[in-house]
Amino acid sequence: MTIRLALQGGFGEKGRTSILVEAEGMRVMFDAGIKVGAGGEDYHPRLACPAAGIDALFVTHAHEDHVGALLWLAGQGHDGPVWMSRETRDEMEATLRQYAWPGDLVHLPAVLPRIRILAAGDEIDLGAMRVGAGHTGHVAGGLWFSVVAGGVRLCYLGDVVPAISGPKRPQDH
């Protein structure tokens, strides 16, 4: 089995974070961010396939560089499920109202019923893929995702707060 990974934005830049993972015809996108301060084509992710060909979207958290292009993606034809934590869902609308292009806000009522809630520890089977989630520590409800397909595991972290290990120094108390 071949697994393909497409970097759609957010690598070597701050913003429009997005990757696409494909295995056995199933396409799963992780994050749909915008790039604050950019214009035109640089504002949204550069999709590796038509939006209608994306089977599911997983959102790590509600910051604009991870969810700000959600309504744009719907306007481009994505009509599949959108997976996120409850906390991300609770914060998402405010982020979209601030960062989505005004014309894309008309897609919000169509997107809301497609949102599916998952939590750290959950796993979802999508065709040849199994997607698991864990807590990042970046923000409340922030998730990382792992994809297992054909015996290969890929992990995606939108943002993370590394754990501090070892003894604490006196100035850390």
Side-chain angles (χ1 to χ4, degrees):
M1 172 189 309
T2 300
I3 297 176
R4 293 179 30 155
L5 178 68
L7 308 179
Q8 301 182 131
F11 296 87
E13 65 183 356
K14 169 74 169 129
R16 69 178 181 161
T17 306
S18 180
I19 69 166
L20 184 79
V21 177
E22 182 177 356
E24 289 193 19
M26 176 67 65
R27 292 180 179 138
V28 176
M29 185 168 155
F30 295 92
D31 281 340
I34 55 96
K35 184 175 182 180
V36 175
E41 293 180 10
D42 289 335
Y43 195 66
H44 298 108
R46 291 194 177 121
L47 300 179
C49 71
I54 299 168
D55 297 295
L57 171 66
F58 288 81
V59 177
T60 58
H61 61 287
H63 289 165
E64 71 279 357
D65 56 328
H66 297 270
V67 75
L70 173 60
L71 301 179
W72 170 83
L73 188 66
Q76 299 299 306
H78 181 258
D79 62 358
V82 179
W83 295 88
M84 62 183 65
S85 70
R86 181 163 311 286
E87 295 89 347
T88 298
R89 167 61 187 92
D90 290 346
E91 295 177 22
M92 173 202 73
E93 283 187 60
T95 301
L96 293 173
R97 291 189 191 288
Q98 184 171 357
Y99 291 99
W101 282 354
D104 289 335
L105 289 171
V106 301
H107 301 293
L108 185 59
V111 169
L112 292 176
R114 294 189 286 115
I115 293 175
R116 308 286 183 265
I117 302 300
L118 76 162
D122 288 350
E123 292 186 340
I124 296 153
D125 288 317
L126 298 169
M129 294 184 198
R130 173 168 274 209
V131 179
H135 182 61
T136 64
H138 175 58
V139 296
L143 297 173
W144 55 258
F145 297 108
S146 69
V147 177
V148 177
V152 175
R153 179 184 301 266
L154 303 170
C155 293
Y156 171 70
L157 296 91
D159 290 317
V160 65
V161 175
I164 298 172
S165 61
K168 290 190 176 195
R169 300 172 297 171
Q171 65 268 31
D172 294 337
H173 291 286

